[in-house]
Amino acid sequence: MEECLKLLKGERDEQKLAGLLLSTKFCKGDDHHSILKIYNAVGPAFLDRLLKTGMGGDNKDAYLQLSVTILAAICRVPEIARSKDMVSKVSYTLDILKNGSGASVVVVVEECYEFLFLVSTSSEDGFAAFYESRGVNVLANNMPTLPDGSHSLELAMTLVQSMLIKLPMDSLYNEYAAELSQLVAAIARQFALLHNALKFKALNLLSTLLSSEYAAPLHDALRLVSNEIWPIYVRVGIVAILQNRVASTEKFHALVLAESSISILGEKWLIDQRKLPGGEDPLPADRCLLLVLESSRVEVAVLLNEIAYLKYEASSESSADIRLKQQNLAIAFSLIEKIIKLISNVAGDEVQDINLFWLTQVTDCLVKLMDLNNLVVGEAFGTIFLACDTIMNILLKKEEASVQLDGSSIVRLLTAFASCTDFITDPSFIMMASSICTLIFDSTSEEALLSHPDFKPSTLNSLARLIAKSLRTSGQDQMSDVAKTEGDLHQIITAGYTRWADRFPRIKEAVKR
């Protein structure tokens, strides 16, 4: 160290350069005391001259590598990183990343990113220098060229994270929508390909970038990108998260990302079968859809229980938690609705391709949502009606689609409708539930249902009251608003009743009464 300091304090440039080369051995790790000695010995003026020499002139590659390596090393000391001398070098470092090319630059890229990270995160002035020197543009153009999973890429992603924390979001999205779309594409690739902690960093960045309330310009920019593969990367990454054992918070980030992706690309993104670059086999068409649907259903159940507990607790601290969980609940419900909408469209337009498993999933989701505790939450009603509409659409075309509910699904669905018969008074729900029950009764009988071990006689009694109530609701006043709105459903119920009434004596008796 003493030899190094003597050289650094020498009068000739050759001495200082020799001292800097020697100092690289002492600038490793967190020995701030040694680093400060070296910095004070060499002084900022020589470092500044060395950096500028490295950007032009003879032996520039060697000078550039040495100067950036030293700058990155000494900025591990926070007081050096936030000094005016280091802040002033941010624009030079960005120029190296922006203008450089070839093998010589590859050597210094990591040190450039480390320097930028240390300076921009150490002070407001450092970050301001990064932003005002068009650091966002440099990141957008440079990140796609970085090696997958490299330390340089990790540092670049951390800089993006800092931008999202420190910058005014509306200005960032409005001014840099195109650049942000490039960042999304680069980060999405890491999200799909990596299997380490950086994968989760990429997930959090993508979900934050795409779900912001200010993200509309970014969504528009992503829609304009042609022949891009970022949607495939995002879908592959989401599947990897949802089908593996990861923390619940990470799974919810994946659902947030899925909801944002659907908002940008539409529901059919979930069943896109395009291949990943490299010729890997695509995911099964329904893998992502089913994982998102099941994860959303589980999330709804968990959140409803947590909200109910917090409301019961009713402490002053629980109000913020309840609002956050209600926001999360809205995301989960939104995903369920969008998936059911997709399945409904497939059922209507391409009935030959309906997957039966999509139908044990929608039915199961509907059964869970119709739980008494769920029905008192207003957010659930839209999803419940959409799920009912999907199932009814499929049942109306079951012969053409060659699908039908199995016995266990029928019993669970009928039991769910029966359980809410006596306390749900909404006429539209009564007519929708009765219509589905009517279509199910076409393919079974009272005797067959009662022989099922999980079907109770009390369930049939409740269903009888439901059918009778629906027929009375429509028959009492043919000019009522309900009759006008639900006319098609009334026709389904009355026509179905005439077909199977003799096979269901209990229901027939209830209707007569």
Side-chain angles (χ1 to χ4, degrees), residues 14-292:
E14 291 83 356
Q15 291 175 300
K16 292 181 180 293
L17 285 172
L20 284 178
L21 287 170
L22 184 60
S23 71
T24 57
K25 296 182 179 181
F26 300 101
C27 287
K28 295 180 179 179
D30 296 323
D31 186 357
H32 292 185
H33 180 69
S34 296
I35 294 174
L36 275 170
K37 280 186 175 181
I38 291 169
Y39 178 65
N40 291 330
V42 68
F46 183 75
L47 288 176
D48 190 56
R49 187 154 55 92
L50 181 64
L51 178 63
K52 293 177 181 178
T53 303
M55 297 182 69
D58 297 333
N59 299 316
K60 66 175 183 177
D61 289 350
Y63 292 137
L64 182 65
Q65 181 177 346
L66 178 60
S67 62
V68 176
T69 299
I70 293 297
L71 288 174
I74 63 177
C75 281
R76 292 175 193 153
V77 180
E79 62 186 270
I80 297 177
R82 57 176 171 259
S83 67
K84 290 183 178 180
D85 291 321
M86 294 301 110
V87 171
S88 68
K89 293 175 176 56
V90 167
S91 60
Y92 291 114
T93 309
L94 287 170
D95 284 339
I96 294 171
L97 292 175
K98 181 172 61 176
N99 301 325
S101 62
S104 60
V105 176
V106 173
V107 179
V108 300
V109 165
E110 184 173 318
E111 283 83 359
C112 284
Y113 274 107
E114 186 155 1
F115 172 80
L116 291 171
F117 164 72
L118 292 169
V119 175
S120 65
T121 57
S122 66
S123 68
E124 294 299 323
D125 288 342
F127 188 81
F130 171 81
Y131 183 69
E132 292 166 5
S133 300
R134 309 298 286 181
V136 180
N137 301 73
V138 175
L139 277 181
N141 292 320
N142 194 261
M143 271 186 70
T145 69
L146 300 177
D148 294 330
S150 63
H151 185 53
S152 301
L153 193 58
E154 183 176 6
L155 291 169
M157 289 168 63
T158 305
L159 286 170
V160 176
Q161 193 174 46
S162 297
M163 283 165 30
L164 296 177
I165 294 172
K166 296 184 177 183
L167 292 176
M169 298 296 279
D170 54 345
S171 300
L172 177 65
Y173 282 100
N174 285 318
E175 187 174 354
Y176 290 104
E179 288 79 5
L180 290 177
S181 69
Q182 292 177 270
L183 293 176
V184 166
I187 297 169
R189 175 179 170 84
Q190 304 309 304
F191 179 46
L193 300 183
L194 300 184
H195 300 286
N196 54 27
L198 199 55
K199 186 184 194 76
F200 300 108
K201 191 182 191 75
L203 167 62
N204 292 334
L205 276 176
L206 288 172
S207 63
T208 302
L209 274 165
L210 297 181
S211 67
S212 169
E213 62 180 307
Y214 303 104
L218 172 57
H219 289 194
D220 292 338
L222 287 168
R223 291 188 190 102
L224 293 174
V225 175
S226 60
N227 299 321
E228 261 295 354
I229 57 173
W230 71 266
I232 309 174
Y233 283 134
V234 169
R235 192 173 62 258
V236 169
I238 287 174
V239 168
I241 294 293
L242 295 182
Q243 71 183 2
N244 287 291
R245 292 185 177 182
V246 299
S248 58
T249 53
E250 305 300 345
K251 286 200 172 188
F252 190 78
H253 278 301
L255 293 180
V256 171
L257 179 55
E259 203 276 337
S260 298
S261 299
I262 294 172
S263 297
I264 298 169
L265 302 163
E267 292 86 358
K268 287 193 175 180
W269 164 79
L270 287 164
I271 52 175
D272 188 350
Q273 282 196 288
R274 286 182 296 166
K275 290 185 178 181
L276 278 172
E280 297 91 341
D281 291 334
L283 296 169
D286 56 4
R287 175 72 59 78
C288 185
L289 181 147
L290 293 174
L291 284 170
V292 172

